[in-house]
Amino acid sequence: MKRLLALLATGASVVGLTVLAGPPAQAATGCSAEYTITSQWAGGFQAGVKVTNLGDPVSDWTLGFTMPDTGQKVVQGWNATWSQSGSAVTATGVDWNRTLATGASTDLGFVGSFTGSNPAPTSFSLNGVPCTGSVTDPTDPPTDPPATGTPTDVNGQLHVCGVHLCNQYDRPIQLRGMSTHGIQWFGSCYGDASLDALADDWKSDLLRVAMYVQEDGYETDPDGFTRQVNRLVDMAEARGMYALIDFHTLTPGDPNYNLDRAKTFFSSVAARNADKKNVIYEIANEPNGVSWAAVKNYAEQVIPVIRAADPDAVVIVGTRGWSSLGVSDGSNESEVVNNPVNAANIMYAFHFYAASHKDNYRATVSRAASQLPLFVSEFGTVSATGGGAVDRASSIAWLDLLDQLKISYANWTFSDADEGSAAFKPGTCNGSDFSSSAVLTESGALLKSRISTADNFPTS
Ligand code: IDC
C-alpha cells in the first residue's frame, strides 16, 4: 500500500499532470508542501518543510509561505536561504538542491519563535505557483507491514548495487549508527549495557569499531587489538547490528605506511568473520597528505587479501584529504571517478564535521552521489577537532541530505570523551546508565533522535 503523504493540499487534484487534449502544452507546474513541527517549547519551535516539485524540472526555486500570526518568526533555517518580510517567508534553494526534477523532493527546516499562537503557515508556493498538489512517495516499498526484526535479520548480507548499499533483496538501504572512539582509550564504553542501549534505545543499525593503528593502538599489540575487534563484532552481531571494522589510520596520513600491518590484520579478521553477515571492512580511515594514486595503490593491495578470505563483504575505501573525496586538499571527486579502485563491491568514504564542512562539501556529496557509492563512515556535529559547539543547523542539513540520498552514516562518537562530539557526558561509561536523557550531550541527544526513528528497509 502506498503511503499518501500528509499534505497541505487544499483539495485540488494533482497539479502537474499534462492534459492530453486541449490547448497547446505549457510548462507543467505545481508542487506539494508538507509542513511538520518537529519540536516546540515556550516561545520557540523547530519545523520541517518537505517540498515536492510536481511540475516540469526547475533549476532554481523559491518557496514562499505566509505566517498566520504576527509573532511568528523564522530565526535560523537550513537547506535553503531564508528571509522574512512581515508575514511573508521565502526560502531559496542552495547549491546542492537548487535543481528539482519532476517528482523530486527536498527537505528544508528552520528554528522559529512565536509570541501568541503557533499555527501552521498557509499559502505555500513554489516559484509563485500555489502548492496544492498531492503526491505518493515512490520510495515506499510495495510491502504492507513494516519489516520486523533486527537490522541484520531484515537485510542479511549486504552488497553494493550501482551507487547504493543494497540488502539481500537487492534494494537500496541506509544504515544509521554510531562509531566508537578509539578502543584503546574508551574500552569501558563498549560493554553489554551500552551496546544494549545502542541497539534497543537508539535502534542503531550499525557500530563502527575504530581501531587506531598508531597512538597506542594496533601497532603496540596486534593480537590483543584483533581480539578486541572480533569481540565487538560478536557483540554487534548478537544485537542485530552491522559492524564496521575501521582500520583507523590517521597519522601518518599515507596508508601505505601501514600496508604490512593492514594485510596481517585484515587477513586475520576476514578469515575469522567470513561466515558472518554483519561485517563491513573499512581499510583506511583518513588518508591525508597523500595522493589519490597512493591511496588507490594501497586499496588494490589490501582488498585482495580480504577477498581471499571473505569474498562477499562490502569494503569501504578512504579518500584523499581526510576522506573528503579530495575537497580538503583542493581537489574533488573527479579524481576518483576518473581513476576508480579496481575492485567490485566497494564504496568510498566521505567524512565531515558539520561546524567546519558546509555548503561546498554538501554540494560535492550531492554531485558525487550519482557517480560513486558513498558511505559516511565518520562525521561529527562539531568542528574537525572533535570539539567545540554543536552546529545544529549544519548537522541537520547534512543528515537530511544523507537521508535523501540514502547514504549510510556513523557518528563520531559513542563515548563519554570530554569533547563536543561525544554522545555521552564525561563519566557516563563508569556508570550503568546509558539510556536516560541525563547522560546525553547535545550531540548525543540530536543523534539519538535521528537514529532511533523507524527504519524503512524494503523486504521484497
Ligand atoms: C579525534 C578524537 C580526539 C583525539 C584525536 C587524536 O576526537 O579525542 O585526541 O582524534 O587521535 C577525525 C579522525 C578522528 C578524530 C576526529 C576529531 O578520524 O580520529 O578524533 N576527526 O578530530 N577526522 C576528522 C576529525
Side-chain angles (χ1 to χ4, degrees):
M1 184 177 64
K2 298 221 174 195
R3 181 165 54 99
L4 192 64
L5 292 177
L7 295 166
L8 282 172
T10 54
S13 58
V14 178
V15 182
L17 291 177
T18 13
V19 185
L20 290 176
Q26 289 183 336
T29 55
C31 47
S32 78
E34 181 191 355
Y35 177 84
T36 321
I37 293 183
T38 48
S39 57
Q40 185 163 313
W41 53 93
F45 65 106
Q46 181 177 316
V49 189
K50 183 186 186 92
V51 185
T52 304
N53 176 25
L54 297 174
D56 283 343
V58 292
S59 56
D60 235 326
W61 52 264
T62 296
L63 176 80
F65 59 82
T66 304
M67 292 292 206
D69 193 280
T70 47
Q72 290 174 299
K73 301 275 178 262
V74 172
V75 176
Q76 190 194 12
W78 48 89
N79 294 356
T81 307
W82 292 82
S83 66
Q84 184 169 359
S85 166
S87 63
V89 176
T90 57
T92 302
V94 287
D95 270 2
W96 51 268
N97 65 4
R98 188 162 284 152
T99 313
L100 282 181
T102 305
S105 301
T106 188
D107 285 295
L108 323 176
F110 62 93
V111 170
S113 62
F114 64 100
T115 49
S117 62
N118 188 28
T122 58
S123 310
F124 283 84
S125 64
L126 193 68
N127 290 347
V129 177
C131 291
T132 53
S134 62
V135 64
T136 49
D137 185 346
T139 62
D140 271 1
T143 45
D144 276 342
T148 54
T150 66
T152 54
D153 282 346
V154 176
N155 295 301
Q157 176 63 51
L158 305 177
H159 64 280
V160 179
C161 57
V163 294
H164 286 110
L165 182 64
C166 278
N167 68 6
Q168 59 183 333
Y169 306 105
D170 207 25
R171 297 282 302 270
I173 61 163
Q174 179 198 30
L175 300 178
R176 298 171 294 160
M178 296 295 292
S179 174
T180 69
H181 203 296
I183 57 174
Q184 78 275 38
W185 297 314
F186 290 89
S188 65
C189 290
Y190 313 112
D192 283 321
S194 64
L195 294 187
D196 282 349
L198 185 62
D200 300 339
D201 304 337
W202 288 61
K203 309 212 181 305
S204 182
D205 307 322
L206 163 77
L207 174 71
R208 178 192 194 227
V209 180
M211 186 198 70
Y212 276 73
V213 186
Q214 277 70 46
E215 301 187 57
D216 297 328
Y218 176 81
E219 66 177 3
T220 64
D221 179 10
D223 291 346
F225 278 96
T226 303
R227 267 198 306 277
Q228 277 193 59
V229 167
N230 286 332
R231 184 181 132 264
L232 289 168
V233 166
D234 292 352
M235 291 174 81
E237 183 188 36
R239 291 164 176 79
M241 292 187 286
Y242 289 91
L244 199 59
I245 298 183
D246 161 33
F247 194 68
H248 201 87
T249 58
L250 184 59
T251 311
D254 183 351
N256 292 292
Y257 175 85
N258 287 305
L259 179 59
D260 289 342
R261 291 184 194 90
K263 287 180 175 174
T264 305
F265 173 72
F266 281 110
S267 68
S268 170
V269 289
R272 193 266 187 184
N273 297 305
D275 293 338
K276 296 188 189 291
K277 293 182 175 169
N278 74 318
V279 178
I280 300 171
Y281 301 101
E282 182 179 3
I283 60 175
N285 167 48
E286 291 190 351
N288 58 87
V290 67
S291 68
W292 169 243
V295 179
K296 174 177 145 84
N297 168 62
Y298 167 85
E300 289 174 355
Q301 296 194 60
V302 176
I303 293 169
V305 170
I306 297 176
R307 295 282 186 251
D310 186 350
D312 62 355
V314 173
V315 173
I316 300 172
V317 180
T319 57
R320 185 177 156 208
W322 294 273
S323 287
S324 67
L325 286 170
V327 180
S328 291
D329 270 352
S331 182
N332 61 45
E333 77 282 6
S334 62
E335 64 184 24
V336 182
V337 172
N338 296 333
N339 190 18
V341 170
N342 185 15
N345 213 23
I346 63 163
M347 306 188 85
Y348 296 94
F350 186 87
H351 292 180
F352 65 84
Y353 280 73
S356 305
H357 308 128
K358 300 190 179 179
D359 280 346
N360 60 323
Y361 287 81
R362 283 189 280 267
T364 301
V365 166
S366 59
R367 222 176 34 231
S370 60
Q371 296 184 279
L372 298 170
L374 300 180
F375 198 120
V376 172
S377 50
E378 181 185 310
F379 79 96
T381 58
V382 298
S383 86
T385 62
V390 170
D391 188 328
R392 219 181 159 78
S394 177
S395 297
I396 292 172
W398 270 114
L399 290 166
D400 287 351
L401 178 65
L402 300 182
D403 289 354
Q404 247 167 53
L405 297 171
K406 273 197 192 300
I407 295 178
S408 300
Y409 64 77
N411 172 251
W412 186 262
T413 56
F414 194 67
S415 84
D416 66 353
D418 192 4
E419 55 189 12
S421 53
F424 293 118
K425 292 178 180 160
T428 300
C429 298
N430 300 331
S432 56
D433 175 14
F434 294 94
S435 291
S436 77
S437 56
V439 296
L440 295 174
T441 62
E442 184 183 356
S443 188
L446 173 61
L447 262 299
K448 187 176 179 181
S449 77
R450 294 292 299 219
I451 292 175
S452 60
T453 58
D455 285 310
N456 191 12
F457 296 132
T459 54
S460 62

